[in-house]
Every structure is written in structure tokens, then in C-alpha cells.
Coordinates of all heavy atoms in Angstrom, one line a residue:
M1105 N 0.8 -1.1 0.0 CA 0.0 0.0 0.0 C 0.9 1.2 0.0 O 1.9 1.2 0.6 CB -0.9 0.0 1.2 CG -1.9 -1.3 1.3 SD -2.9 -1.4 -0.1 CE -4.4 -0.5 0.5
K1106 N 0.4 2.3 -0.8 CA 1.1 3.5 -0.8 C 0.4 4.7 -0.5 O -0.9 4.7 -0.9 CB 1.8 3.6 -2.2 CG 2.6 4.8 -2.3 CD 3.3 4.9 -3.7 CE 4.2 6.1 -3.8 NZ 4.9 6.1 -5.0
Q1107 N 0.8 5.6 0.3 CA 0.0 6.8 0.6 C 0.4 8.0 -0.4 O 1.6 8.2 -0.7 CB 0.3 7.3 2.0 CG -0.4 6.5 3.1 CD -0.4 7.0 4.3 OE1 0.5 7.9 4.7 NE2 -1.3 6.6 5.2
I1108 N -0.7 8.6 -1.0 CA -0.4 9.7 -1.8 C -1.2 10.9 -1.4 O -2.3 10.8 -0.9 CB -0.9 9.4 -3.2 CG1 -0.1 8.2 -3.8 CG2 -0.8 10.6 -4.2 CD1 -0.6 7.7 -5.1
T1109 N -0.5 12.1 -1.4 CA -1.2 13.3 -0.9 C -1.5 14.2 -2.1 O -0.6 14.5 -2.9 CB -0.3 14.0 0.1 OG1 0.0 13.2 1.2 CG2 -1.0 15.3 0.6
L1110 N -2.7 14.6 -2.2 CA -3.2 15.5 -3.3 C -3.5 16.8 -2.6 O -4.2 16.8 -1.5 CB -4.4 14.9 -4.0 CG -4.3 13.6 -4.7 CD1 -5.6 13.1 -5.1 CD2 -3.3 13.8 -5.9
T1111 N -3.2 17.9 -3.2 CA -3.6 19.1 -2.7 C -4.7 19.8 -3.6 O -4.4 20.0 -4.8 CB -2.4 20.2 -2.6 OG1 -1.4 19.6 -1.8 CG2 -2.8 21.5 -2.0
I1112 N -6.0 19.9 -3.0 CA -7.0 20.5 -3.9 C -7.5 21.7 -3.1 O -7.9 21.7 -2.0 CB -8.1 19.4 -3.9 CG1 -7.6 18.1 -4.6 CG2 -9.3 19.9 -4.7 CD1 -8.5 16.9 -4.3
S1113 N -7.5 22.9 -3.8 CA -7.8 24.2 -3.2 C -7.2 24.4 -2.0 O -7.8 24.7 -0.9 CB -9.4 24.2 -3.0 OG -10.1 24.3 -4.2
S1114 N -5.9 24.3 -2.0 CA -5.0 24.6 -0.8 C -5.2 23.7 0.4 O -4.9 24.0 1.6 CB -5.2 26.0 -0.4 OG -4.8 26.8 -1.4
R1115 N -5.9 22.5 0.2 CA -6.2 21.6 1.2 C -5.6 20.2 0.9 O -5.8 19.7 -0.2 CB -7.7 21.5 1.4 CG -8.1 20.9 2.7 CD -9.4 21.3 3.1 NE -9.7 20.5 4.3 CZ -10.9 20.0 4.6 NH1 -12.0 20.3 3.9 NH2 -11.0 19.4 5.7
D1116 N -4.8 19.5 1.8 CA -4.3 18.3 1.6 C -5.1 17.1 1.9 O -5.9 17.1 2.9 CB -2.9 18.1 2.3 CG -1.8 19.0 1.9 OD1 -1.9 19.5 0.7 OD2 -0.8 19.3 2.7
Y1117 N -5.2 16.1 1.0 CA -5.9 14.9 1.2 C -4.9 13.8 1.0 O -4.3 13.6 -0.1 CB -7.1 14.8 0.1 CG -8.1 16.0 0.3 CD1 -8.0 17.1 -0.4 CD2 -9.1 15.8 1.2 CE1 -8.9 18.1 -0.3 CE2 -10.1 16.7 1.3 CZ -10.0 17.9 0.6 OH -10.9 18.9 0.8
T1118 N -4.8 12.9 1.9 CA -3.9 11.7 1.8 C -4.8 10.5 1.6 O -5.8 10.2 2.3 CB -3.2 11.6 3.1 OG1 -2.3 12.7 3.2 CG2 -2.3 10.4 3.0
I1119 N -4.4 9.8 0.5 CA -5.2 8.6 0.2 C -4.3 7.4 0.2 O -3.0 7.5 0.0 CB -5.9 8.7 -1.2 CG1 -4.9 9.0 -2.2 CG2 -7.1 9.7 -1.1 CD1 -5.5 9.0 -3.7
T1120 N -4.8 6.2 0.5 CA -3.9 5.0 0.5 C -4.4 4.0 -0.7 O -5.6 3.8 -0.8 CB -4.0 4.3 1.8 OG1 -3.6 5.1 2.9 CG2 -3.1 3.0 1.8
L1121 N -3.4 3.7 -1.6 CA -3.8 3.0 -2.7 C -2.9 1.7 -2.8 O -1.7 1.7 -2.3 CB -3.6 3.7 -4.0 CG -4.4 5.1 -4.1 CD1 -3.9 5.8 -5.4 CD2 -5.8 4.9 -4.2
D1122 N -3.4 0.7 -3.5 CA -2.6 -0.5 -3.8 C -1.4 -0.1 -4.6 O -1.4 0.8 -5.4 CB -3.5 -1.5 -4.5 CG -2.7 -2.8 -4.9 OD1 -2.4 -3.6 -4.0 OD2 -2.5 -3.0 -6.1
D1123 N -0.2 -0.7 -4.3 CA 1.0 -0.4 -5.0 C 0.9 -0.2 -6.6 O 1.3 0.7 -7.2 CB 2.1 -1.2 -4.7 CG 2.6 -1.1 -3.2 OD1 2.4 0.1 -2.6 OD2 3.1 -2.1 -2.6
D1124 N 0.3 -1.3 -7.3 CA 0.2 -1.3 -8.7 C -0.7 -0.1 -9.2 O -0.4 0.5 -10.1 CB -0.3 -2.6 -9.2 CG 0.7 -3.7 -9.0 OD1 1.9 -3.5 -9.0 OD2 0.2 -4.9 -9.0
F1125 N -1.8 0.0 -8.5 CA -2.7 1.1 -8.8 C -2.1 2.4 -8.6 O -2.3 3.4 -9.4 CB -4.0 1.0 -8.2 CG -5.0 2.1 -8.4 CD1 -5.4 2.3 -9.8 CD2 -5.5 2.9 -7.5 CE1 -6.4 3.3 -10.1 CE2 -6.4 3.9 -7.8 CZ -6.8 4.2 -9.1
A1126 N -1.3 2.6 -7.6 CA -0.7 3.9 -7.2 C 0.2 4.4 -8.3 O 0.2 5.5 -8.7 CB 0.0 3.7 -5.9
K1127 N 0.9 3.5 -8.9 CA 1.8 3.9 -10.1 C 1.0 4.4 -11.2 O 1.3 5.5 -11.7 CB 2.6 2.7 -10.6 CG 3.6 2.1 -9.6 CD 4.3 0.9 -10.1 CE 5.2 0.3 -9.1 NZ 5.7 -1.0 -9.5
S1128 N -0.1 3.8 -11.5 CA -0.9 4.3 -12.6 C -1.6 5.6 -12.2 O -1.7 6.5 -13.0 CB -2.0 3.3 -12.9 OG -2.9 3.6 -13.9
F1129 N -2.0 5.7 -11.0 CA -2.8 6.8 -10.5 C -1.8 8.1 -10.5 O -2.2 9.2 -10.9 CB -3.3 6.7 -9.0 CG -4.0 7.8 -8.5 CD1 -5.3 8.1 -8.9 CD2 -3.3 8.7 -7.6 CE1 -6.0 9.1 -8.3 CE2 -4.0 9.8 -7.1 CZ -5.4 10.0 -7.5
E1130 N -0.6 7.9 -10.0 CA 0.4 9.0 -10.1 C 0.8 9.4 -11.5 O 0.9 10.7 -11.7 CB 1.7 8.5 -9.4 CG 1.5 8.5 -7.9 CD 2.8 7.9 -7.2 OE1 3.5 6.9 -7.6 OE2 3.3 8.5 -6.2
Q1131 N 0.8 8.6 -12.4 CA 1.1 8.9 -13.7 C 0.0 9.7 -14.3 O 0.1 10.7 -14.9 CB 1.3 7.7 -14.6 CG 1.7 8.0 -16.0 CD 2.1 6.8 -16.8 OE1 2.0 5.7 -16.4 NE2 2.5 7.0 -18.0
D1132 N -1.3 9.3 -14.1 CA -2.5 10.1 -14.5 C -2.6 11.5 -13.9 O -2.8 12.5 -14.5 CB -3.8 9.3 -14.1 CG -4.2 8.2 -15.2 OD1 -3.5 8.3 -16.3 OD2 -5.0 7.4 -14.9
C1133 N -2.2 11.5 -12.6 CA -2.1 12.8 -11.9 C -1.1 13.8 -12.5 O -1.3 14.9 -12.6 CB -1.9 12.7 -10.4 SG -3.3 12.2 -9.5
Q1134 N 0.1 13.2 -12.9 CA 1.2 14.0 -13.4 C 0.8 14.6 -14.7 O 1.0 15.7 -15.1 CB 2.4 13.1 -13.5 CG 3.1 12.9 -12.2 CD 4.4 11.9 -12.4 OE1 4.7 11.4 -13.4 NE2 5.0 11.8 -11.2
N1135 N 0.0 13.7 -15.6 CA -0.4 14.2 -16.9 C -1.4 15.3 -16.6 O -1.4 16.3 -17.4 CB -1.1 13.0 -17.7 CG 0.0 12.1 -18.1 OD1 1.1 12.4 -18.2 ND2 -0.4 10.8 -18.3
L1136 N -2.3 15.2 -15.7 CA -3.4 16.1 -15.5 C -2.8 17.4 -14.9 O -3.2 18.5 -15.3 CB -4.4 15.6 -14.5 CG -5.4 16.6 -13.9 CD1 -6.3 17.0 -15.0 CD2 -6.3 15.9 -12.8
M1137 N -1.9 17.3 -14.0 CA -1.4 18.5 -13.2 C -0.2 19.2 -13.9 O 0.2 20.3 -13.5 CB -1.1 18.1 -11.7 CG -2.3 17.7 -11.1 SD -2.1 16.9 -9.4 CE -1.4 18.3 -8.5
G1138 N 0.4 18.5 -14.8 CA 1.5 19.1 -15.6 C 2.6 19.6 -14.7 O 3.2 20.7 -15.0
G1139 N 3.0 18.9 -13.7 CA 4.2 19.2 -12.8 C 3.8 20.1 -11.6 O 4.6 20.4 -10.8
R1140 N 2.5 20.7 -11.6 CA 2.2 21.4 -10.5 C 1.9 20.6 -9.3 O 1.7 19.4 -9.3 CB 0.8 22.2 -10.8 CG 1.0 23.2 -11.9 CD -0.3 23.9 -12.4 NE -1.1 22.8 -12.9 CZ -2.5 22.8 -12.8 NH1 -3.0 23.8 -12.0 NH2 -3.2 21.9 -13.3
Q1141 N 1.8 21.2 -8.1 CA 1.7 20.6 -6.9 C 0.3 20.5 -6.3 O -0.1 19.9 -5.4 CB 2.6 21.1 -5.7 CG 4.1 21.1 -6.1 CD 4.5 19.6 -6.2 OE1 4.2 18.8 -5.4 NE2 5.3 19.3 -7.3
F1142 N -0.7 21.3 -7.1 CA -1.9 21.4 -6.6 C -2.9 21.3 -7.8 O -2.5 21.5 -8.9 CB -2.2 22.7 -5.8 CG -2.0 24.0 -6.7 CD1 -3.0 24.4 -7.4 CD2 -0.6 24.4 -6.7 CE1 -2.7 25.6 -8.2 CE2 -0.4 25.5 -7.5 CZ -1.5 26.1 -8.2
I1143 N -4.2 21.2 -7.5 CA -5.3 21.1 -8.5 C -6.5 21.8 -8.0 O -6.8 21.8 -6.8 CB -5.5 19.7 -8.9 CG1 -6.5 19.6 -10.1 CG2 -6.1 18.8 -7.7 CD1 -6.6 18.3 -10.7
E1144 N -7.1 22.4 -8.9 CA -8.3 23.3 -8.5 C -9.5 22.3 -8.8 O -9.5 21.4 -9.5 CB -8.5 24.5 -9.5 CG -7.4 25.5 -9.3 CD -7.4 26.1 -7.8 OE1 -8.6 26.2 -7.2 OE2 -6.4 26.4 -7.3
P1145 N -10.7 22.6 -8.0 CA -11.8 21.7 -8.1 C -12.4 21.6 -9.5 O -12.8 20.5 -10.0 CB -12.9 22.4 -7.1 CG -12.0 23.1 -6.1 CD -10.8 23.5 -6.9
K1146 N -12.4 22.7 -10.3 CA -12.9 22.6 -11.7 C -12.1 21.6 -12.5 O -12.6 20.9 -13.2 CB -12.8 23.9 -12.3 CG -13.5 24.0 -13.6 CD -13.3 25.4 -14.3 CE -13.8 25.2 -15.8 NZ -13.7 26.5 -16.5
E1147 N -10.8 21.6 -12.3 CA -9.9 20.8 -13.0 C -10.1 19.3 -12.6 O -10.2 18.3 -13.5 CB -8.4 21.0 -12.8 CG -8.0 22.3 -13.3 CD -6.6 22.7 -13.0 OE1 -6.4 23.0 -11.7 OE2 -5.7 22.8 -13.8
L1148 N -10.4 19.1 -11.3 CA -10.6 17.7 -10.8 C -12.0 17.2 -11.4 O -12.1 16.1 -11.7 CB -10.6 17.8 -9.3 CG -10.7 16.4 -8.5 CD1 -9.6 15.5 -9.0 CD2 -10.8 16.6 -7.1
L1149 N -12.9 18.1 -11.4 CA -14.3 17.6 -11.9 C -14.1 17.3 -13.4 O -14.7 16.3 -13.9 CB -15.3 18.7 -11.7 CG -16.6 18.5 -12.3 CD1 -17.3 17.2 -11.7 CD2 -17.5 19.7 -12.1
E1150 N -13.4 18.1 -14.2 CA -13.2 17.8 -15.6 C -12.5 16.4 -15.9 O -12.9 15.7 -16.6 CB -12.5 18.9 -16.2 CG -13.2 20.2 -16.5 CD -12.3 21.5 -16.9 OE1 -11.1 21.3 -16.9 OE2 -12.9 22.5 -17.2
A1151 N -11.5 16.2 -15.0 CA -10.7 14.9 -15.1 C -11.6 13.8 -14.8 O -11.6 12.7 -15.4 CB -9.5 15.0 -14.1
F1152 N -12.5 14.0 -13.7 CA -13.4 12.9 -13.3 C -14.4 12.6 -14.4 O -14.6 11.4 -14.8 CB -14.2 13.4 -12.1 CG -15.2 12.3 -11.6 CD1 -14.9 11.2 -11.0 CD2 -16.6 12.6 -11.8 CE1 -15.8 10.2 -10.6 CE2 -17.5 11.7 -11.4 CZ -17.1 10.5 -10.8
V1153 N -15.0 13.7 -15.1 CA -15.9 13.4 -16.2 C -15.2 12.8 -17.3 O -15.7 11.9 -18.0 CB -16.5 14.8 -16.6 CG1 -17.3 14.6 -17.9 CG2 -17.4 15.3 -15.5
E1154 N -14.0 13.1 -17.6 CA -13.1 12.5 -18.7 C -13.0 11.1 -18.4 O -13.2 10.2 -19.3 CB -11.8 13.2 -18.8 CG -11.0 12.7 -20.0 CD -9.7 13.5 -20.1 OE1 -9.7 14.7 -20.0 OE2 -8.7 12.8 -20.4
K1155 N -12.6 10.7 -17.2 CA -12.4 9.3 -16.8 C -13.7 8.5 -16.8 O -13.7 7.3 -17.2 CB -11.7 9.2 -15.4 CG -10.2 9.5 -15.4 CD -9.5 8.5 -16.2 CE -8.0 8.8 -16.2 NZ -7.2 7.8 -16.9
C1156 N -14.8 9.0 -16.4 CA -16.1 8.4 -16.5 C -16.4 8.1 -18.0 O -17.0 7.0 -18.3 CB -17.2 9.2 -15.9 SG -17.1 9.3 -14.0
Y1157 N -16.1 9.1 -18.7 CA -16.5 8.8 -20.3 C -15.5 7.8 -20.8 O -16.1 7.0 -21.6 CB -16.4 10.2 -21.0 CG -16.7 10.0 -22.5 CD1 -18.2 9.9 -22.9 CD2 -15.8 9.9 -23.5 CE1 -18.5 9.6 -24.1 CE2 -16.2 9.7 -24.8 CZ -17.5 9.5 -25.2 OH -17.9 9.4 -26.5
E1158 N -14.3 7.8 -20.4 CA -13.4 6.8 -20.9 C -13.8 5.4 -20.4 O -13.8 4.4 -21.2 CB -12.0 7.0 -20.2 CG -10.9 6.8 -21.1 CD -9.6 7.3 -20.3 OE1 -9.1 8.5 -20.5 OE2 -9.0 6.4 -19.6
N1159 N -14.4 5.3 -19.2 CA -14.9 4.0 -18.6 C -16.1 3.6 -19.4 O -16.3 2.4 -19.7 CB -15.1 4.2 -17.1 CG -15.5 3.0 -16.5 OD1 -14.9 1.9 -16.7 ND2 -16.7 3.0 -15.8
Y1160 N -17.0 4.5 -19.7 CA -18.2 4.3 -20.5 C -17.9 3.7 -21.9 O -18.4 2.7 -22.2 CB -19.0 5.6 -20.6 CG -20.2 5.6 -21.6 CD1 -21.3 4.8 -21.4 CD2 -19.9 6.2 -22.8 CE1 -22.3 4.9 -22.4 CE2 -20.9 6.1 -23.8 CZ -22.1 5.4 -23.6 OH -23.1 5.4 -24.5
T1161 N -17.0 4.4 -22.5 CA -16.6 3.9 -24.0 C -15.9 2.6 -23.9 O -16.2 1.7 -24.8 CB -15.8 4.9 -24.7 OG1 -14.6 5.2 -24.0 CG2 -16.5 6.2 -25.0
T1162 N -15.1 2.3 -22.8 CA -14.5 1.0 -22.7 C -15.4 -0.1 -22.4 O -15.4 -1.2 -23.2 CB -13.4 1.0 -21.6 OG1 -12.4 2.1 -21.8 CG2 -12.7 -0.3 -21.4
L1163 N -16.4 0.1 -21.5 CA -17.4 -0.9 -21.2 C -18.3 -1.1 -22.5 O -18.7 -2.2 -22.8 CB -18.2 -0.4 -20.1 CG -17.6 -0.5 -18.7 CD1 -18.5 0.2 -17.6 CD2 -17.2 -1.9 -18.3
K1164 N -18.6 -0.1 -23.1 CA -19.4 -0.3 -24.4 C -18.7 -1.1 -25.5 O -19.2 -2.0 -26.0 CB -19.7 1.2 -25.0 CG -20.7 1.1 -26.1 CD -21.1 2.6 -26.5 CE -22.0 2.6 -27.6 NZ -22.4 3.9 -28.0
A1165 N -17.4 -0.9 -25.6 CA -16.5 -1.7 -26.5 C -16.5 -3.1 -26.1 O -16.5 -4.1 -26.9 CB -15.2 -1.1 -26.7
I1166 N -16.4 -3.3 -24.8 CA -16.3 -4.8 -24.3 C -17.6 -5.4 -24.5 O -17.7 -6.5 -24.9 CB -16.0 -4.7 -22.8 CG1 -14.5 -4.3 -22.6 CG2 -16.2 -6.0 -22.1 CD1 -14.1 -4.0 -21.1
K1167 N -18.7 -4.7 -24.2 CA -20.0 -5.3 -24.5 C -20.2 -5.7 -25.9 O -20.8 -6.7 -26.3 CB -21.1 -4.4 -24.0 CG -21.3 -4.4 -22.5 CD -22.4 -3.4 -22.1 CE -22.4 -3.3 -20.6 NZ -23.5 -2.3 -20.1
N1168 N -19.8 -4.8 -26.9 CA -19.9 -5.0 -28.2 C -19.1 -6.2 -28.7 O -19.5 -7.1 -29.5 CB -19.5 -3.9 -29.1 CG -20.6 -2.8 -29.0 OD1 -21.7 -2.9 -28.7 ND2 -20.2 -1.4 -29.3
A1169 N -17.9 -6.3 -28.1 CA -17.0 -7.4 -28.4 C -17.6 -8.7 -28.0 O -17.5 -9.7 -28.7 CB -15.5 -7.3 -27.8
A1170 N -18.1 -8.8 -26.7 CA -18.7 -9.9 -26.2 C -20.0 -10.3 -27.0 O -20.1 -11.5 -27.2 CB -19.2 -9.7 -24.7
S1171 N -20.7 -9.4 -27.4 CA -21.9 -9.7 -28.4 C -21.4 -10.3 -29.7 O -21.9 -11.3 -30.2 CB -22.7 -8.5 -28.5 OG -23.8 -8.7 -29.4
D1172 N -20.4 -9.8 -30.2 CA -19.8 -10.2 -31.5 C -19.3 -11.7 -31.3 O -19.5 -12.5 -32.2 CB -18.6 -9.3 -32.0 CG -19.1 -8.0 -32.4 OD1 -20.4 -7.8 -32.6 OD2 -18.3 -7.1 -32.7
I1173 N -18.6 -11.9 -30.2 CA -18.1 -13.3 -29.9 C -19.2 -14.3 -29.7 O -19.2 -15.4 -30.3 CB -17.2 -13.3 -28.6 CG1 -15.9 -12.5 -29.0 CG2 -16.9 -14.7 -28.2 CD1 -15.0 -12.2 -27.7
D1174 N -20.3 -13.8 -29.0 CA -21.5 -14.7 -28.8 C -22.1 -15.1 -30.1 O -22.4 -16.1 -30.4 CB -22.5 -13.9 -27.9 CG -23.5 -14.8 -27.4 OD1 -23.2 -16.0 -27.0 OD2 -24.7 -14.4 -27.4
D1175 N -22.2 -14.0 -31.1 CA -22.9 -14.2 -32.3 C -22.0 -15.3 -33.2 O -22.6 -16.2 -33.8 CB -22.9 -12.9 -33.2 CG -24.0 -12.0 -32.5 OD1 -24.9 -12.5 -31.7 OD2 -24.0 -10.8 -32.9
I1176 N -20.7 -15.1 -33.1 CA -19.8 -16.0 -33.8 C -19.9 -17.5 -33.3 O -20.0 -18.5 -34.0 CB -18.3 -15.5 -33.7 CG1 -18.2 -14.3 -34.6 CG2 -17.4 -16.6 -34.2 CD1 -16.8 -13.5 -34.3
L1177 N -19.9 -17.5 -32.0 CA -20.1 -18.9 -31.4 C -21.4 -19.5 -31.7 O -21.5 -20.8 -31.8 CB -19.9 -18.8 -29.8 CG -18.5 -18.5 -29.4 CD1 -18.3 -18.3 -27.9 CD2 -17.5 -19.5 -29.9
K1178 N -22.5 -18.8 -31.8 CA -23.8 -19.3 -32.1 C -23.9 -19.8 -33.5 O -24.6 -20.8 -33.8 CB -24.9 -18.2 -31.9 CG -25.2 -18.0 -30.5 CD -26.3 -16.9 -30.3 CE -26.6 -16.6 -28.9 NZ -27.5 -15.6 -28.7
R1179 N -23.1 -19.2 -34.4 CA -23.0 -19.6 -35.8 C -22.3 -20.9 -36.0 O -22.5 -21.7 -36.9 CB -22.4 -18.6 -36.7 CG -23.3 -17.5 -37.0 CD -22.7 -16.5 -38.0 NE -22.3 -15.3 -37.2 CZ -21.4 -14.4 -37.5 NH1 -20.6 -14.7 -38.6 NH2 -21.1 -13.3 -36.8
E1180 N -21.4 -21.2 -35.1 CA -20.6 -22.5 -35.2 C -21.3 -23.8 -34.8 O -22.1 -24.1 -34.3 CB -19.2 -22.3 -34.5 CG -18.4 -21.3 -35.1 CD -17.1 -21.1 -34.4 OE1 -16.8 -21.9 -33.4 OE2 -16.3 -20.3 -34.8

């Protein structure tokens, strides 16, 4: 487990994440924050919406792929 501190609107928040996920999370945060040490609520909300949309499109693609596989298996 790894602890990460985020500063949002001049307030620190410490979260504990699994080591593997922490690496991915830190990389995403670095991309979002561009080397800055803090983030504003509006930027955080925009990032959250972007990740939700990313998740939505990924799940949609998975469902389509599963449906295609199901259709192929039914034909065989």
C-alpha cells in the first residue's frame, strides 16, 4: 500500500492505494497536473468526467466485443 497526498484548493488529502494502482494513479495525476503541486476543483471535476467517459466507452466496446463473440459462437 502506498500513501499519496493530493492538494485540492489549498487543502491536503492523503489517500492509500494498492502499489500497482498507485503507479498508474500517479502517472495520470502527473499528466493532469503538468508538474504542479496542486489542482483546482474545476480541473478535478473535468478529469473525473473525462475518466467516466473513458470508462463508459471502454465498457461499451467490451459489451460489443462480447456480443460479437457470442454471435460467432452461435453460428458455429
